[in-house]
Amino acid sequence: MVFEEIPVIWDFFKTRYFPKFIYPGDELAVLYGGVAIFVLFSLVLIPKPCQRKPKPWRRYFVQVDALAGTAVSAYAFYIEISLEQNPFYTPACNTFGGSCSKVLTSSHAHMLSHLNILPKGHIADLSLAQVGLLLYAAYFLAISIPFGWYKREELFLLVAVAGAAFSCYLLFVIKFVLLDFCIVCTSFHICNFIMLFLAFLEYRNPTVRPFKFNRRSNNKTKIN
């Protein structure tokens, strides 16, 4: 478990701040708990969407951030492939005060197998770089659709919140578990936090006019 890898730090916080009856004792529970808190905060506590005139220019900010995240993920995937083919390969990102090769080849880079959800080497055990490619491609395609669809803003915000919460977890792992620094991972997490901010703005004031589902006619009609 992650917390067992840093016994000094974790024992201090566990003894001082976490009573035994609430200590989950499992990193998976901590991860799920963090994601749940972020989701509940975003979907329950934030204000409802406002009815101002849509701002189409925000779509371009989302597209730029998505392209940046895709580029960072593609470079991380290139590093993974290069290290598989040549274990002595030294990526350029290792010169930025840390070892991104160490981080990207750790067990945490394949989170599903690290958490024993899937066996190591399973076809669905995607690396963080592969997940990033899929995630930011989906962001780019979804925001590029020029019309509203059912639960568009809510889904965008939900995915962005989950991504930001997972970034917080991974930053903790890099800092306190791996005791390293990865400029590629940090860039990816910055893209996630920017996307969360943009998703919040999109939820408050969508760039496209929303559609209302008419239950009687079972059709979607545009709000004027």
Side-chain angles (χ1 to χ4, degrees):
M1 296 301 174
V2 170
F3 294 126
E4 294 175 356
E5 300 173 12
I6 48 171
V8 177
I9 298 176
W10 178 239
D11 286 344
F12 171 78
F13 280 97
K14 181 177 68 173
T15 303
R16 185 165 183 175
Y17 299 105
F18 294 93
K20 292 183 179 180
F21 63 87
I22 64 170
Y23 169 55
D26 185 79
E27 64 169 307
L28 186 59
V30 175
L31 174 60
Y32 286 164
V35 172
I37 291 173
F38 270 83
V39 171
L40 289 175
F41 174 79
S42 296
L43 298 184
V44 176
L45 299 181
I46 60 177
K48 297 297 181 181
C50 59
Q51 300 297 326
R52 292 181 295 182
K53 184 178 180 180
K55 299 181 181 299
W57 53 263
R58 192 184 308 120
R59 179 186 306 168
Y60 305 122
F61 282 88
V62 176
Q63 290 174 332
V64 169
D65 189 42
L67 290 175
T70 302
V72 173
S73 300
Y75 179 61
F77 187 52
Y78 169 77
I79 294 174
E80 291 179 359
I81 296 177
S82 300
L83 288 172
E84 288 180 359
Q85 298 176 349
N86 180 16
F88 300 101
Y89 169 74
T90 303
C93 57
N94 279 8
T95 61
F96 288 88
S99 175
C100 58
S101 57
K102 175 185 175 182
V103 175
L104 293 174
T105 55
S106 68
S107 62
H108 296 86
H110 291 262
M111 191 55 65
L112 292 180
S113 60
H114 176 75
L115 297 175
N116 295 321
I117 298 175
L118 291 176
K120 187 175 182 179
H122 193 278
I123 189 172
D125 183 29
L126 302 179
S127 68
L128 296 179
Q130 292 171 313
V131 172
L133 286 171
L134 295 175
L135 175 64
Y136 278 96
Y139 276 140
F140 185 88
L141 293 175
I143 201 64
S144 299
I145 298 176
F147 52 84
W149 31 278
Y150 184 66
K151 295 296 182 181
R152 172 184 177 273
E153 292 75 32
E154 290 82 357
L155 181 60
F156 183 20
L157 181 61
L158 179 64
V159 174
V161 166
F166 196 63
S167 286
C168 292
Y169 170 75
L170 292 177
L171 286 170
F172 169 84
V173 168
I174 294 173
K175 178 65 176 178
F176 295 106
V177 179
L178 301 178
L179 302 177
D180 214 321
F181 174 75
C182 174
I183 186 64
V184 174
C185 302
T186 302
S187 301
F188 181 76
H189 300 321
I190 290 174
C191 290
N192 274 348
F193 295 133
I194 293 176
M195 192 63 74
L196 175 61
F197 176 71
L198 294 173
F200 174 76
L201 295 180
E202 186 68 15
Y203 176 80
R204 290 276 294 153
N205 187 27
T207 54
V208 296
R209 292 191 179 276
F211 279 70
K212 181 175 65 175
F213 188 78
N214 191 330
R215 294 183 178 180
R216 292 183 179 180
S217 61
N218 200 29
N219 293 321
K220 293 180 180 178
T221 57
K222 190 173 183 179
I223 297 177
N224 295 322

